[in-house]
Amino acid sequence: QKKDISLPLDQFGSPTSAKFISDNLKNIINLYKKNKFKLGIYNLAPSKPSSRYDVGQYLLKILNSKSNIKGIRTKSLISLARRPTNSKLSTIKIEKALKYKLISWKQDLSNNLKWKKEKV
């Protein structure tokens, strides 16, 4: 809609799609059935966390949007919801158990948007 928006430069995490979770859970279940996955507590999220600002910039780029994003600090936000500045998850343990590197949030986001376009 060509509106300018503000996003935090200092809030970090990894956007995670339901498709990312379901695809990886399917792999985990298959490995578990073959006794090749040890039960435990794991973090599951795309690799390489990023700021909300960087995620917004990436979305503008892949959607060819004319909107502008202004980077701001969390303390400048006017919001009822309090958000942590660091919600990054370590995926080292699950990557070791799966024996593969999880895709980045950029790849997940691109895959998910492409998948949604194909479904429509």
Side-chain angles (χ1 to χ4, degrees):
Q1 297 177 350
K2 297 182 184 178
K3 291 184 179 180
D4 292 345
I5 59 172
S6 297
L7 290 174
L9 293 161
D10 58 350
Q11 288 182 12
F12 294 87
S14 292
T16 308
S17 72
K19 184 173 181 343
F20 173 88
I21 294 170
S22 65
D23 288 348
N24 283 288
L25 284 178
K26 186 172 24 173
N27 290 340
I28 290 167
I29 291 166
N30 288 333
L31 289 170
Y32 178 74
K33 286 179 180 178
K34 297 174 186 175
N35 290 322
K36 294 183 178 181
F37 190 87
K38 185 180 176 184
L39 293 180
I41 298 173
Y42 298 88
N43 294 325
L44 180 59
S47 65
K48 301 180 183 172
S50 183
S51 71
R52 290 181 182 262
Y53 172 81
D54 289 336
V55 172
Q57 291 287 29
Y58 185 72
L59 273 171
L60 289 183
K61 180 181 172 185
I62 63 176
L63 297 174
N64 294 317
S65 175
K66 303 295 183 218
S67 297
N68 290 310
I69 295 178
K70 176 184 173 189
I72 60 169
R73 299 278 173 208
T74 297
K75 64 182 177 184
S76 303
L77 282 173
I78 301 169
S79 175
L80 295 176
R82 294 186 61 154
R83 304 207 187 279
T85 54
N86 182 355
S87 59
K88 298 182 280 189
L89 299 174
S90 172
T91 57
I92 295 168
K93 182 178 174 183
I94 191 128
E95 288 177 338
K96 186 176 178 182
L98 292 171
K99 297 181 175 77
Y100 63 80
K101 181 88 171 136
L102 295 168
I103 63 172
S104 70
W105 65 267
K106 283 184 178 181
Q107 186 63 51
D108 180 39
L109 194 54
S110 296
N111 290 348
N112 196 44
L113 290 172
K114 185 173 140 184
W115 179 76
K116 284 190 171 213
K117 287 180 187 177
E118 291 170 358
K119 290 283 189 181
V120 175

